[in-house]
Amino acid sequence: MPRYFLDTDDGSETVIDVVGRELMDDVAARRAGLGTLPDMAHDKIAEGDHRTFTVSVRNAQDTVIYVATLALMGGWKNGGGTERLLERGNHSGFPGHR
């Protein structure tokens, strides 16, 4: 099976995959790359309302064959929420998280 490498960038850290993984084909590599984006977003979403998450898929010849980006653009409307979350000691922007 061919080897693919999934390089990621969460807007503050770039990780170059030096190990890779064996996958059936380019389509499976694309799926694997897309599957990393929700996990990246989940891990970093509390750090702000404007983030971009990117994955680049490389083949064994070190050629980028696929790139996907997930963008988060959030913001309070009409002054809602921010003050109340901070009053509760919640600095993440999500109810129940600190």
Side-chain angles (χ1 to χ4, degrees):
M1 271 197 282
R3 183 166 292 274
Y4 295 89
F5 302 85
L6 307 178
D7 304 326
T8 60
D9 187 331
D10 66 10
S12 61
E13 180 182 12
T14 300
V15 177
I16 304 300
D17 182 357
V18 295
V19 176
R21 62 179 84 168
E22 290 184 348
L23 298 164
M24 290 295 293
D25 56 18
D26 291 358
V27 173
R30 173 189 171 269
R31 279 195 204 118
L34 288 172
T36 66
L37 293 172
D39 292 335
M40 291 171 60
H42 182 266
D43 292 344
K44 295 286 185 172
I45 206 162
E47 294 180 16
D49 285 335
H50 297 92
R51 305 264 327 184
T52 302
F53 307 94
T54 302
V55 62
S56 297
V57 179
R58 291 181 288 120
N59 63 17
Q61 291 74 40
D62 204 35
T63 301
V64 174
I65 62 164
Y66 186 80
V67 176
T69 300
L70 176 68
L72 168 68
M73 298 296 169
W76 293 105
K77 297 293 183 183
N78 302 318
T82 304
E83 298 82 16
R84 288 183 291 277
L85 288 172
L86 292 175
E87 287 170 7
R88 294 181 198 160
N90 181 329
H91 303 285
S92 73
F94 291 98
H97 289 77
R98 294 197 178 272

